[in-house]
Amino acid sequence: MHIKIQGGGNGKYANNGSCSSLISYLEHEDLDRLKKGQKIEPFFSHTEDHIKGNTIIEAIDNNKKKLCRDEAKFFMITVSPSQKELEHLGKTPEEQSEKLKDYIRNGIMQKYAENFNKGLNAEDIMYFAKIHHERKTNKDEGNLHIHILVSRKSADGRLKLSPMTNHQNTTKGAVKGGFVRVDFYTGAEKAFDEKFLYQRQLQEQFDYKKQYKKGTPKDWEQLNKEKYQYNQQQNKNNNQFIQNCKNQGFSDKELDYMLQGNSIEKGNESFSIGLTDNSFQLVRFVSSMVQALQYAGGNGQSSDDNRRRKKRR
C-alpha cells in the first residue's frame, strides 16, 4: 500500500485556486475507457456514488470561507494498493473497485478525520474520490488506484484542516490538534488489513519499508533476519489457528468462507474470523436474543429476571 498526500506548487496539484484543472486531469481516463467499451468510474463521495465534475468544482471552490488568496483550498490523496493487495480483494477489477470504495469511505477517510485529533469522523470531511484503472506501474503497485480530492475546510465550513501541517496533536497555541502523517499511513494500512482480513508480511509494512529505505547495508541485514523470523512465525501461527478451528468442527470450506469476511451459523451461534495485531481470531456471536439475555444475566438467567429478583429483595 502506497499513500501519497499532494498539493501545492505550480503543476497539476496547484491548490490555491480553483480545482477545475485537477478535475479535468482526473477525468482523462474516461474517454479512453469509453472508446474501449469499458465502464467509466464516476466520482463518488462519502454518501453518493455518481457525482459530476462540475458539482465537485462548485462544492470545493465555494468551501473556502476565511481562507486567504494564497492559502491551500484542497489536497490530493493518492492510494495505490500493491498487486498482492488487489488480488486479495477479488479476481476482477469490478470486485476490487467495489471493495476499494468501501475502504475509502470506512477506512482511509475515517483515519484521515481521526488524525486531526478534533473528534472528527469521515462524514465531517468534504471529499470526492475517483478510481483509475491504468497507470505506469512498478513491481510493487497494481494498476488500480484511487485519487481523493479533499477540501481544506471541513464539510460544514467551520474548520481548517491541513494534512501538510507541522503541528502534531498540539494542545496549546493557535492550532489545536494537528496531523501526524506517519500515523495516518500506518492507520490506513491497519484499517485495510482488519477490514479485508489481509495478513501483511513484515516487508509489506510501512514501518519496515521506512527503515529499509533509510538503512545501511548492516541495517538491511538485520531487517532481513527480522523479516524471515516474523514471516515464519506468522505461518506457524496460521497453521495452528486453522488446526484449532478444524478441531472445533469447522470444515475447509467453512474456513475459506470465513476468511473471505463472511460469517456462518452453527446452531444458535454465529462465527466469523477477525484480525487483531495481524493474527487471526475466531469470533463467536450468540444468534438468539433469548440466548443473549441469558448470557448477559449469568447462571442461565436473563438480565430482566435478575432485575426483577433484586426488586423483590
Side-chain angles (χ1 to χ4, degrees):
M1 181 74 67
H2 182 69
I3 301 174
K4 185 185 295 184
I5 302 175
Q6 296 164 293
N10 298 316
K12 61 187 176 188
Y13 296 114
N15 61 357
N16 60 358
S18 173
C19 67
S20 58
S21 294
L22 188 51
I23 291 295
S24 179
Y25 164 73
L26 292 178
E27 291 177 326
H28 77 271
E29 189 180 273
D30 294 353
L31 185 58
D32 289 338
R33 290 185 68 79
L34 274 176
K35 289 179 179 178
K36 296 175 183 178
Q38 297 172 327
K39 176 185 173 184
I40 290 178
E41 292 281 1
F43 286 100
F44 64 94
S45 69
H46 195 69
T47 56
E48 297 181 64
D49 288 323
H50 296 79
I51 305 176
K52 298 289 187 182
N54 288 339
T55 301
I56 297 172
I57 295 169
E58 183 178 355
I60 295 288
D61 287 359
N62 289 329
N63 192 35
K64 59 182 181 180
K65 188 176 181 181
K66 294 186 178 180
L67 290 177
C68 297
R69 178 178 296 181
D70 59 349
E71 281 190 278
K73 309 301 188 301
F74 55 86
F75 298 96
M76 174 66 74
I77 304 171
T78 303
V79 182
S80 303
S82 69
Q83 189 60 40
K84 185 179 175 182
E85 288 166 332
L86 288 173
E87 290 171 356
H88 182 79
L89 295 181
K91 295 180 180 179
T92 67
E94 290 75 21
E95 289 179 292
Q96 296 166 1
S97 178
E98 283 305 308
K99 288 187 177 180
L100 284 173
K101 286 179 183 178
D102 182 25
Y103 172 55
I104 295 302
R105 287 167 165 159
N106 301 301
I108 284 275
M109 294 314 296
Q110 180 61 31
K111 293 301 179 184
Y112 181 84
E114 291 173 356
N115 209 264
F116 286 103
N117 296 292
K118 296 178 183 291
L120 300 173
N121 291 306
E123 58 263 29
D124 299 312
I125 307 298
M126 179 183 284
Y127 73 90
F128 304 93
K130 198 175 202 311
I131 291 176
H132 279 176
H133 287 258
E134 300 297 332
R135 66 175 298 142
K136 293 180 180 179
T137 64
N138 60 36
K139 63 180 180 179
D140 295 321
E141 295 175 358
N143 283 324
L144 209 65
H145 60 287
I146 312 101
H147 293 289
I148 311 168
L149 180 61
V150 188
S151 175
R152 170 71 187 280
K153 301 292 292 289
S154 57
D156 61 10
R158 293 189 307 107
L159 300 173
K160 291 183 180 181
L161 303 171
S162 173
M164 299 297 199
T165 180
N166 291 322
H167 294 275
Q168 299 190 355
N169 201 20
T170 55
T171 57
K172 296 180 181 179
V175 177
K176 303 292 193 304
F179 194 91
V180 184
R181 286 182 287 279
V182 169
D183 289 351
F184 171 54
Y185 300 144
T186 55
E189 185 178 271
K190 185 177 180 181
F192 180 94
D193 298 348
E194 292 182 352
K195 187 171 198 53
F196 302 117
L197 299 181
Y198 182 76
Q199 270 204 324
R200 191 172 298 275
Q201 294 193 312
L202 190 61
Q203 67 271 22
E204 298 178 80
Q205 297 176 19
F206 175 81
D207 288 338
Y208 179 92
K209 291 179 179 178
K210 184 179 178 183
Q211 291 180 58
Y212 204 91
K213 185 177 181 179
K214 295 183 177 181
T216 63
K218 187 176 180 179
D219 295 328
W220 298 339
E221 184 179 354
Q222 179 60 33
L223 285 168
N224 283 326
K225 288 181 181 178
E226 292 176 8
K227 176 184 70 175
Y228 176 80
Q229 293 170 353
Y230 180 95
N231 293 341
Q232 286 290 101
Q233 186 62 49
Q234 187 181 78
N235 289 335
K236 182 179 178 180
N237 292 343
N238 286 350
N239 291 334
Q240 185 63 57
F241 171 78
I242 295 297
Q243 188 58 53
N244 288 341
C245 289
K246 288 183 177 180
N247 291 342
Q248 295 182 56
F250 293 95
S251 67
D252 288 333
K253 186 177 180 180
E254 288 173 329
L255 288 170
D256 287 342
Y257 188 68
M258 288 192 289
L259 284 169
Q260 294 172 26
N262 304 303
S263 61
I264 63 171
E265 302 291 329
K266 280 182 175 288
N268 289 323
E269 294 179 318
S270 174
F271 295 87
S272 63
I273 292 176
L275 190 70
T276 304
D277 295 329
N278 216 20
S279 297
F280 290 131
Q281 306 287 335
L282 185 64
V283 182
R284 177 187 284 109
F285 296 94
V286 178
S287 302
S288 165
M289 180 58 70
V290 174
Q291 289 288 327
L293 289 172
Q294 288 177 346
Y295 276 91
N299 298 319
Q301 301 294 328
S302 74
S303 299
D304 288 340
D305 289 338
N306 287 336
R307 282 194 292 270
R308 283 194 290 270
R309 188 180 299 109
K310 289 178 181 178
K311 203 169 184 181
R312 286 197 295 270
R313 290 176 185 169

Coordinates of all heavy atoms in Angstrom, one line a residue, residues 9 20 31 35 81 99 150 154 174 191 198 207 211 237 251 254 278 290-291 299:
G9 N 2.6 24.1 -5.2 CA 3.4 24.3 -6.4 C 2.6 24.9 -7.5 O 1.4 25.3 -7.4
S20 N -10.7 23.1 -10.8 CA -11.2 22.7 -12.1 C -10.1 22.0 -12.9 O -10.5 21.0 -13.6 CB -11.7 23.9 -12.9 OG -10.7 24.9 -13.0
L31 N -12.4 9.0 -21.3 CA -12.5 8.9 -22.8 C -11.9 7.6 -23.3 O -12.5 7.0 -24.2 CB -11.9 10.1 -23.4 CG -12.0 10.2 -24.9 CD1 -13.5 10.3 -25.3 CD2 -11.3 11.5 -25.4
K35 N -13.9 4.6 -25.3 CA -13.5 4.1 -26.6 C -13.3 2.6 -26.7 O -13.6 1.9 -27.7 CB -12.2 4.8 -27.1 CG -12.3 6.2 -27.4 CD -11.0 6.8 -27.8 CE -11.1 8.3 -28.2 NZ -9.8 8.9 -28.5
P81 N -2.8 0.5 -4.0 CA -2.6 -0.8 -3.4 C -1.6 -1.6 -4.2 O -1.4 -1.4 -5.4 CB -4.0 -1.4 -3.5 CG -4.9 -0.3 -3.7 CD -4.2 0.7 -4.5
K99 N -14.8 -3.0 -3.4 CA -14.2 -3.1 -2.1 C -13.4 -1.9 -1.8 O -13.3 -1.4 -0.6 CB -13.4 -4.4 -2.0 CG -14.3 -5.6 -1.9 CD -13.5 -6.9 -1.6 CE -14.5 -8.1 -1.4 NZ -13.8 -9.3 -1.1
V150 N -9.7 16.4 -1.5 CA -10.2 16.7 -0.1 C -10.2 18.2 0.1 O -9.1 18.9 -0.2 CB -9.3 16.1 1.0 CG1 -9.9 16.3 2.3 CG2 -9.1 14.6 0.7
S154 N -13.6 21.8 6.6 CA -14.5 20.7 6.9 C -15.8 20.8 6.1 O -16.1 21.9 5.5 CB -14.7 20.7 8.4 OG -15.3 21.9 8.8
A174 N -2.3 28.6 18.7 CA -3.4 28.9 17.8 C -3.9 27.7 17.1 O -5.1 27.6 16.8 CB -2.8 29.9 16.7
A191 N -6.3 -0.4 8.9 CA -7.7 -0.5 8.5 C -8.0 -1.4 7.4 O -9.0 -2.1 7.3 CB -8.2 1.0 8.2
Y198 N -6.5 -9.2 5.7 CA -5.3 -9.3 5.0 C -4.1 -9.4 5.9 O -3.8 -8.4 6.7 CB -5.1 -8.0 4.0 CG -3.9 -8.1 3.2 CD1 -3.8 -8.9 2.0 CD2 -2.8 -7.3 3.5 CE1 -2.7 -8.9 1.2 CE2 -1.6 -7.3 2.7 CZ -1.6 -8.1 1.5 OH -0.5 -8.2 0.7
D207 N 6.3 0.6 8.4 CA 7.5 0.9 9.3 C 8.7 0.2 8.7 O 9.8 0.7 8.8 CB 7.1 0.4 10.7 CG 6.2 1.3 11.4 OD1 6.1 2.5 11.0 OD2 5.5 0.9 12.4
Q211 N 12.2 1.9 7.4 CA 13.5 1.6 8.0 C 14.5 1.1 6.9 O 15.7 1.5 6.9 CB 13.4 0.5 9.1 CG 12.7 1.0 10.3 CD 12.6 -0.1 11.4 OE1 13.6 -0.7 11.8 NE2 11.3 -0.5 11.8
N237 N 1.7 -19.6 13.3 CA 0.5 -19.2 14.0 C -0.7 -19.5 13.1 O -1.7 -20.0 13.7 CB 0.6 -17.8 14.3 CG 1.6 -17.4 15.4 OD1 2.1 -18.3 16.1 ND2 2.0 -16.2 15.5
S251 N -15.1 -27.1 8.8 CA -14.5 -27.7 7.6 C -13.6 -26.7 6.8 O -13.7 -25.5 7.1 CB -15.7 -28.2 6.7 OG -16.4 -27.0 6.2
E254 N -15.8 -24.1 5.2 CA -16.3 -23.1 6.1 C -15.2 -22.1 6.5 O -15.5 -20.9 6.5 CB -16.8 -23.7 7.4 CG -18.2 -24.5 7.2 CD -18.6 -25.3 8.4 OE1 -17.6 -25.8 9.2 OE2 -19.8 -25.4 8.7
N278 N -2.5 -8.5 13.5 CA -2.0 -9.3 12.4 C -2.1 -10.8 12.6 O -1.5 -11.6 12.0 CB -0.6 -8.9 12.0 CG -0.4 -9.0 10.5 OD1 -1.3 -8.9 9.7 ND2 0.9 -9.2 10.1
V290 N -32.8 -14.5 23.0 CA -33.0 -15.1 24.3 C -31.7 -15.6 24.9 O -31.4 -15.4 26.0 CB -34.0 -16.3 24.1 CG1 -34.1 -17.1 25.4 CG2 -35.4 -15.8 23.7
Q291 N -30.9 -16.2 24.0 CA -29.6 -16.7 24.4 C -28.7 -15.5 24.9 O -28.0 -15.6 25.9 CB -28.9 -17.4 23.3 CG -29.5 -18.8 23.0 CD -29.2 -19.8 24.1 OE1 -28.2 -19.8 24.7 NE2 -30.1 -20.7 24.3
N299 N -25.7 -17.5 35.0 CA -26.3 -18.6 35.7 C -27.6 -19.0 35.0 O -28.6 -19.4 35.6 CB -26.7 -18.2 37.1 CG -25.4 -17.9 37.9 OD1 -24.4 -18.6 37.8 ND2 -25.4 -16.9 38.7

